[in-house]
Amino acid sequence: MNSEVQLWTVPEDRAGQRIDNLLMARLKGVPRSRIYRMLRKGEVRVNKRRCKADYRVEAGDLIRIPPVELAPEKRAPSIPRRLMAKIERSIIAEGDGWIALNKPSGVAVHGGSGLQFGVIEVLRAIPGLSKTSIELVHRLDRDTSGILLIATKRSRLRWLHQQLRQGTMRKTYQCIVHGRWPREVQSVDFAIVPRTRTGGERIMKAVAATTTEHAAKPALTHYRLIAQRGQFAWLEAMPVTGRTHQIRVHCAAMGCPIIGDDKYRTDKHLKEIEKSKGIDRLGLHAWKLSFLEKENGNRIEICADLPELWRTLGGAK
């Protein structure tokens, strides 16, 4: 039990963060429900005033935090040296307040759901990086490889998130799909809605863009056919929106599921084809990413080499 009231002045690098997120980061082990209850009851004060959970703090704000029950600090799991070396080698670009990785397929971006650690936890343990603010700018599915952008300064995180919201950050993926992709199809705009399979597994489903379903969100992906080789097609995919599993769902909805996609490739015959070809991973790679520098507006473009699978199947260009 922390029996004393805490008074904390917000440093400049925390300016712009929501008060609820800041408290959760500062009060490790305190349940979310307790933090929101403190805010509702006015136990947390900013500059001697009550505040709502969505209040964004400013540098110099004086925050009063009441006495709270803190859970015993857990010992951080030991990160295998091999994984730490693998993630460190995957760093392909660095700049002021950011780093970019060519994330390997099969590595999660963060711990949780039975995983002790992911890319973020590994980066925070690397000497030299551990003392900076390591935060995800965006996410990649565990089985998707390619460019993962990390902010090492909160001010840079805010700038990069702003570009995500405004659409000035551009992402290009490469994917290998089953079937023959129609050359004339250059955009797919099915809306995406969450569904739950028997057993509780959460998946996303493509529905007509004109749907009136309340939970459906509009989604748009531009495609370019790179090559058609027999039963596989190589595509560039440029998502305009950023819905969960968007590229995977749109490809499957077009009758061309991404190879290795056990969630959205439901035809067992296609799985047998993959097995015969030695395909053992998802055929989706975050290939290029570009964003604007804050200081001069120049566009930075990062490219991540294609995985071995692309060369193995003969589609790399």
Side-chain angles (χ1 to χ4, degrees), residues 196-217:
T196 303
R197 282 180 175 160
T198 303
E201 181 189 12
R202 189 169 182 266
I203 64 166
M204 312 307 289
K205 182 176 177 61
V207 295
T210 55
T211 184
T212 57
E213 286 195 58
H214 176 70
K217 293 184 178 180

Side-chain angles (χ1 to χ4, degrees), residues 261-307:
D261 192 346
D262 288 332
K263 191 177 285 284
Y264 298 104
R265 183 259 297 114
T266 55
D267 188 331
K268 293 182 179 179
H269 174 63
L270 297 182
K271 188 170 185 177
E272 289 301 315
I273 292 175
E274 293 170 5
K275 186 177 179 180
S276 70
K277 297 285 186 181
I279 297 169
D280 59 358
R281 57 152 291 174
L282 180 69
L284 181 61
H285 180 71
W287 181 43
K288 287 184 179 179
L289 183 146
S290 70
F291 57 92
L292 302 176
E293 287 188 286
K294 187 173 185 179
E295 292 73 18
N296 52 30
N298 291 338
R299 182 163 288 277
I300 295 174
E301 183 174 271
I302 307 164
C303 186
D305 290 343
L306 290 170

Side-chain angles (χ1 to χ4, degrees), residues 13-14 79 83-101 118-135 148-154:
D13 67 347
R14 292 289 178 179
I79 298 173
L83 178 59
M84 192 176 295
K86 184 177 185 178
I87 296 301
E88 195 164 10
R89 286 196 306 270
S90 73
I91 296 174
I92 56 174
E94 298 183 60
D96 181 19
W98 61 269
I99 58 176
L101 285 72
V119 171
I120 284 295
E121 289 80 13
V122 174
L123 287 174
R124 288 170 178 163
I126 294 176
L129 287 177
S130 58
K131 294 183 180 179
T132 61
S133 176
I134 302 288
E135 301 291 345
L148 181 67
L149 195 59
I150 307 290
T152 57
K153 291 181 180 178
R154 284 208 60 81

Side-chain angles (χ1 to χ4, degrees), residues 129-173:
L129 287 177
S130 58
K131 294 183 180 179
T132 61
S133 176
I134 302 288
E135 301 291 345
L136 285 168
V137 175
H138 62 106
R139 297 173 186 271
L140 288 178
D141 294 338
R142 180 179 179 180
D143 294 324
T144 301
S145 58
I147 298 172
L148 181 67
L149 195 59
I150 307 290
T152 57
K153 291 181 180 178
R154 284 208 60 81
S155 58
R156 196 62 68 190
L157 179 67
R158 293 195 300 273
W159 168 249
L160 293 168
H161 276 172
Q162 179 181 321
Q163 292 193 61
L164 277 172
R165 290 192 298 271
Q166 295 176 347
T168 52
M169 183 179 291
R170 300 170 187 165
K171 301 176 184 177
T172 302
Y173 292 74

